[in-house]
Structure formats: structure tokens, C-alpha cells
Amino acid sequence: SSGSTQSTGEADEKEVEILAKADEEFNIEKGRLVEQEKQKIRAFYEKKEKNAELQKKIQMSNLQNQARLKLLKQRENHLDEVVANTTVKLRTITNDLGKYQGMLQGLITQGLCQLLEPNVLIQCRQKDLQLVKDVLDKALKQYTQLSGLDVDINIDEKNFLASDIAGGVQLSARDGKLMVSNTLEARLDQIVKQKIPEIRTKLYGNNPNRRFFD
């Protein structure tokens, strides 16, 4: 009969439609899952790439820092060499008695001007004792001209400065409470501290990163 044939056809159509829909939904779901997996894989590799990039940057930064530190160390060693060579030269100055005598006079006057005290004790190396005695009057005269003050100076003939220093004097007042070290080493040390930025610039040129010039 035609009625049953029609209903069978409709049922078949319905079934095909359901199957097609199920198939479509499956494909959509499958596509979604595949895309999800792809994104996971992509994210995994992107993360891996980023980590590798980061590691590379860290490695480069470490290498740059090591190179910078090595350069700084070389520069510091070079500066130390310059200072050491100057110290050696200083020791030879004391061999030229005329020059060294003038230097001693200047160091005594300068020390007195720093202290500005009425009673001062001077210490020197034992081998410089006579030289200090010889220049004392001139140093005293120079100090009075500069400061307008008088001073009573004594030379310590019991406690001498170490014989292995390059030379110079040490002045003290008020039982050692005030002290000015004007040994050649102390003077060199002061000069080096003041001059280091200048020496650095002369040796290595200006540092664009340097903001402070101490």
C-alpha cells in the first residue's frame, strides 16, 4: 500500500538526516579536538622556544658580564702596576739629596698648615734625622709666613718611622690625638685616590656609563 511505503520513506529520510547530523556533529567535535591538540602542541613548542630564547639571553648576559669583569680586573691590575712603578720611582727620589731635602721641607710645612697647632712633634726615618734638622728652620719660616702663627717643634729622636718606607715625615699634636701622615707612601696614596678617575680616562678613555667623577 502506498501509505506504508510513504511512511517507510519518511523514516528512512529521518534516519539519514539523524545520521548526517550525527556525522556532522562528530566531524565538528573531531575538528575541535584536533584543533585543541594542535593548539596544545603549538603552545608546548612556543613555550619551549621561549625558554630556549630566555636561556640564550641569560647565557649571553652571563658571558657579557664575565667579559666586563675580566676587563675591569685587567684595568685594575694595570692601575696597580702604574702605582707600583710610581712607588719604585719615589724611592729613587730620596737618592737625590737636594731634591729630597726640598721635598721634606714642603712636607713639614704642609703638615704644620694642616695641624695649625702651637706644639708639634715630628717623626722621620732614622737616616733622615739630619736632613729634617737641616730643613726645619726654612719649613718653620715658610709656615709662619703662610699662617701668621708661631709653632714650637720637637723632633722625636727615640721613635723613628719604619726604615723600609720610602721617606717623608709624620707630624702629631696633643699627645698623638691629632696626626698628619706625610710619608711619601701616604702622599702617593692621597694623590692616587684623587687622580684615579683622571688616570683611568688617560689610560682607557671616557666611560659613557660613568655618572660620578669622584
Side-chain angles (χ1 to χ4, degrees), residues 84-101:
N85 289 341
T86 311
T87 308
V88 170
K89 280 180 192 163
L90 265 185
R91 289 184 183 278
T92 62
I93 286 173
T94 58
N95 298 335
D96 182 341
L97 285 186
K99 195 183 268 187
Y100 182 46
Q101 230 173 345

Side-chain angles (χ1 to χ4, degrees), residues 1-61:
S1 70
S2 63
S4 67
T5 311
Q6 195 179 351
S7 63
T8 307
E10 274 175 18
D12 285 350
E13 255 175 58
K14 204 86 178 140
E15 200 179 320
V16 167
E17 203 179 303
I18 287 165
L19 283 170
K21 198 156 180 59
D23 203 30
E24 192 186 339
E25 277 175 7
F26 169 73
N27 280 332
I28 288 169
E29 183 63 16
K30 188 175 82 172
R32 195 178 66 78
L33 288 170
V34 167
E35 192 51 44
Q36 216 173 33
E37 280 308 306
K38 274 188 191 165
Q39 277 177 355
K40 270 188 195 169
I41 290 164
R42 216 175 286 133
F44 171 76
Y45 279 106
E46 271 175 18
K47 195 177 175 188
K48 214 171 177 182
E49 220 170 276
K50 271 183 190 163
N51 280 349
E53 196 62 38
L54 191 65
Q55 285 302 321
K56 204 171 163 187
K57 277 181 183 167
I58 290 168
Q59 215 172 353
M60 281 298 288
S61 177

Side-chain angles (χ1 to χ4, degrees), residues 9 15 20-21 37 46 55 90 94 104 107 111 113 122 134-135 143 150 177 197-198 210:
E15 200 179 320
K21 198 156 180 59
E37 280 308 306
E46 271 175 18
Q55 285 302 321
L90 265 185
T94 58
L104 276 175
L107 290 170
C113 287
I122 291 180
D134 291 346
V135 299
Y143 167 70
D150 285 321
K177 287 188 184 78
E198 202 181 301
R210 195 170 165 78

Side-chain angles (χ1 to χ4, degrees), residues 58-75:
I58 290 168
Q59 215 172 353
M60 281 298 288
S61 177
N62 285 342
L63 286 172
Q64 280 172 342
N65 282 341
Q66 279 170 15
R68 207 174 284 131
L69 284 172
K70 198 175 173 185
L71 185 65
L72 280 174
K73 189 81 192 108
Q74 282 173 348
R75 286 180 172 185

Side-chain angles (χ1 to χ4, degrees), residues 108 112 118-122 136 139-140 151-155 171:
I108 293 168
L112 292 172
N119 295 294
V120 172
L121 183 71
I122 291 180
L136 205 52
L140 194 55
V151 60
D152 186 24
I153 299 176
N154 285 302
I155 299 170
L171 298 89

